[in-house]
Amino acid sequence: MTAELTADDLKAYASTIGGLRPVPVAVTTVHGGRANGLITLSGGPASIIPEAPRLVVSITTYNFSHDLIRDGGVFILHTLSNAAELIETSLEIIRTLGGRTGRDGDKISGLRTRPGVTGAPILLDALTYVEARVIRSLDNEENTFFVGDVVGAGRLNAGGKLDIGAAWTGLGKEWTDAYEHDHEAQIDDSRARRGLPTSHS
Ligand SMILES: Cc1cc2nc3c(=O)[nH]c(=O)nc-3n(C[C@H](O)[C@H](O)[C@H](O)COP(=O)(O)O)c2cc1C
């Protein structure tokens, strides 16, 4: 129970995990003909077997993509390019997928895509992509860890991986302030799902 942690504990926790996951990824999915996607820092490998790779992502229960991945069982993880000619496009992908929920309307049709082997949309302006079919999931009340077998992958564009530092700088203070403000609702929803006091209680 987090209430027993001191302010120093929380500070040390923040400095321990800070920077451990430096690369934002765009995750897309599809279910019942509805495609969607979001941005997450939670993407990573989930197997040590080189010829049979697996992926893991942690998706907040509050988010629309969570329900589509849970129900459709597929996702595609994309890295974004930091090449000078693509960085603004990469930032636009983050603004489009990470700035509002697909529950309020389609976010995918404004992006350049083609369907992957999973049927989920591959973002053609991303740097690289990996497609996965979910084999297990772990429901943690506030989020679900989805683990998938890799069923396809490709390189799409030039450049290195856009990291979160460059992304926050490029997105600008106005966008990041609005994001932090909107994010409060999902943090509160997560508190409620774990039986913790919310900012309104
Ligand atoms: C840098 C960054 C990291 C994020 N990390 C996560 C994450 O780990 N898990 C998650 O579910 N959402 C994460 N989000 C938030 C979602 O991308 C955002 O809430 C999105 O609008 C959800 O869209 P959806 O409701 O259409 O799925 C992150 C957003 C940004 C910009």
Side-chain angles (χ1 to χ4, degrees), residues 24 36-43 58-66 94 96-103 105 107 143 164 167-168 171 175 179 183 186:
N36 195 53
L38 52 54
I39 302 299
T40 173
L41 285 167
S42 70
S58 156
I59 307 295
T60 303
T61 314
Y62 179 89
N63 289 329
F64 184 46
S65 303
H66 175 277
I94 296 178
T96 302
L97 298 181
R100 66 185 175 82
T101 176
R103 291 187 206 280
K107 299 195 286 191
N143 59 37
I164 191 63
W168 283 136
L171 288 164
W175 192 90
Y179 171 77
H183 200 55
Q186 59 182 278

Side-chain angles (χ1 to χ4, degrees), residues 1-190:
M1 176 64 186
T2 48
E4 279 144 42
L5 295 174
T6 66
D8 280 350
D9 289 333
L10 293 175
K11 204 168 146 196
Y13 164 79
S15 78
T16 302
I17 64 151
L20 284 182
R21 294 268 173 100
V23 176
V25 294
V27 170
T28 59
T29 186
V30 68
H31 174 62
R34 182 74 154 85
N36 195 53
L38 52 54
I39 302 299
T40 173
L41 285 167
S42 70
S47 171
I48 60 166
I49 305 172
E51 70 279 15
R54 286 177 165 170
L55 283 181
V56 62
V57 288
S58 156
I59 307 295
T60 303
T61 314
Y62 179 89
N63 289 329
F64 184 46
S65 303
H66 175 277
D67 296 1
L68 295 185
I69 298 174
R70 180 196 61 201
D71 298 342
V74 297
F75 64 91
I76 306 183
L77 185 156
H78 308 75
T79 61
L80 303 173
S81 175
N82 65 5
E85 66 277 16
L86 270 174
I87 192 151
E88 194 43 50
T89 308
S90 298
L91 295 173
E92 202 45 43
I93 291 171
I94 296 178
R95 288 186 194 103
T96 302
L97 298 181
R100 66 185 175 82
T101 176
R103 291 187 206 280
D104 294 340
D106 170 66
K107 299 195 286 191
I108 295 292
S109 61
L111 301 171
R112 291 195 327 116
T113 64
R114 69 172 161 81
V117 293
T118 56
I122 296 171
L123 303 174
L124 297 177
D125 293 320
L127 180 66
T128 62
Y129 72 92
V130 183
E131 294 195 60
R133 286 192 196 281
V134 175
I135 52 126
R136 296 273 194 292
S137 59
L138 178 65
D139 177 344
N140 307 299
E141 302 165 308
E142 67 175 280
N143 59 37
T144 301
F145 283 26
F146 294 105
V147 176
D149 277 330
V150 172
V151 295
R155 185 171 185 102
L156 298 161
N157 285 294
K161 293 188 186 80
L162 181 72
D163 68 35
I164 191 63
W168 283 136
T169 303
L171 288 164
K173 189 168 161 29
E174 196 179 326
W175 192 90
T176 53
D177 282 353
Y179 171 77
E180 301 286 356
H181 177 266
D182 294 347
H183 200 55
E184 280 302 318
Q186 59 182 278
I187 296 174
D188 251 351
D189 182 78
S190 297

